[in-house]
Amino acid sequence: MRYPCKPLTILATMACLLASACSHDSEPLAGPPPAPAVSKICPGPEAEKQAIIAFFDAHEGDTIEFCEGKFDFASGLTMTGKKGITIKGAGMNKTYLRFANSNDQDGFNLNKMTGVLVQGLTIYDAPGNGLRLFRSDYITVRDVKVGWSISDPASPYGNYTTDYSKWAVNGAYAFYPVICHHVLIEDSISVGSSDAGVYVGQSSDILVRRTEAYHNVAGFEFENTYRAEFVDNYAHDNVG
């Protein structure tokens, strides 16, 4: 036996089903990731502000590029918990970042980072450590000088002195990776550290090559570090 259709009943059922389907929260479709950006910073009165913002806002794939010239910063540059970042200058002997008047201990302080490249610049005169890497993985440092200008005869600031007593106020470590994994430091220079020019501690899978250390207390120091290689480096005119 056939029963006649009841249009009102069918419409009511469809409305209930539609309401039920719409009652569940649905995740919005994720958009494409932001395109990699380049933050170019040149010497000038806004350079420090621009650098701090660039370090804070950087996203995966971004590049922070410092122009050729001299920069004087009153605070260190810190980045935490990011990956896939490039920080570069125009070259070791072209881009100078100076932290002599900084209120922070470190020049660069990179924490909990993954996949970072630092290349083509000089970091001078941090109160504590020049380039500090902490709990970070897959880090490449290339064509970078870190040190203290008072101890560097190649300094463009003209303040080099052979009055060694004045070097005592220099910071402890130039290159300072601690609790890091898969770190490459190459074609770089450390100068003037009051402790070690290149210090690697509590880390693993480290390669330091073609790197020069001079006018430090210790040129190179690896401590509690595993699977580390030290190849074609040049230590001279250090205390020990």
Side-chain angles (χ1 to χ4, degrees):
M1 180 182 293
R2 293 184 177 182
Y3 296 92
C5 294
K6 297 181 179 180
L8 292 177
T9 302
I10 293 172
L11 289 174
T13 302
M14 292 176 65
C16 290
L17 291 172
L18 182 60
S20 175
C22 293
S23 66
H24 297 287
D25 293 333
S26 59
E27 294 291 334
L29 294 176
V38 176
S39 299
K40 193 164 187 177
I41 304 165
C42 295
E46 296 296 313
E48 181 171 346
K49 178 180 177 181
Q50 292 169 355
I52 292 172
I53 292 172
F55 271 58
F56 183 80
D57 284 345
H59 293 84
E60 184 174 357
D62 286 358
T63 296
I64 300 171
E65 182 177 350
F66 291 94
C67 300
E68 181 175 349
K70 298 176 184 177
F71 298 80
D72 288 289
F73 294 134
S75 63
L77 298 176
T78 298
M79 190 181 293
T80 301
K82 299 179 185 292
K83 62 181 180 178
I85 306 297
T86 296
I87 304 168
K88 70 177 185 178
M92 180 196 301
N93 298 316
K94 295 182 178 180
T95 299
Y96 299 90
L97 310 181
R98 196 180 189 197
F99 297 89
N101 299 312
S102 175
N103 294 317
D104 299 311
Q105 283 294 298
D106 304 314
F108 279 16
N109 188 0
L110 307 180
N111 302 284
K112 299 180 180 179
M113 304 289 291
T114 302
V116 176
L117 169 63
V118 182
Q119 177 174 295
L121 49 82
T122 289
I123 299 172
Y124 267 147
D125 299 335
N129 309 298
L131 174 56
R132 180 178 184 265
L133 304 166
F134 182 70
R135 291 190 180 278
S136 296
D137 301 324
Y138 300 101
I139 308 297
T140 297
V141 179
R142 178 183 298 122
D143 184 36
V144 172
K145 179 187 282 188
V146 185
W148 286 265
S149 58
I150 196 173
S151 306
D152 187 6
S155 165
Y157 294 94
N159 59 336
Y160 171 68
T161 179
T162 55
D163 182 355
Y164 306 131
S165 65
K166 294 183 178 179
W167 297 8
V169 299
N170 293 354
Y173 301 107
F175 297 88
Y176 190 36
V178 176
I179 315 180
C180 292
H181 310 282
H182 304 283
V183 176
L184 169 63
I185 300 173
E186 65 180 4
D187 303 313
S188 296
I189 297 174
S190 69
V191 53
S193 301
S194 63
D195 197 318
V198 179
Y199 174 89
V200 183
Q202 297 77 57
S203 299
S204 67
D205 302 290
I206 309 296
L207 174 57
V208 178
R209 64 186 178 188
R210 300 189 303 271
T211 290
E212 183 180 6
Y214 62 92
H215 293 178
N216 306 282
V217 171
F220 298 87
E221 181 180 354
F222 289 9
E223 184 175 45
N224 297 326
T225 293
Y226 302 92
R227 294 187 300 277
E229 290 194 27
F230 178 81
V231 181
D232 295 333
N233 299 294
Y234 181 33
H236 62 97
D237 298 298
N238 301 289
V239 175

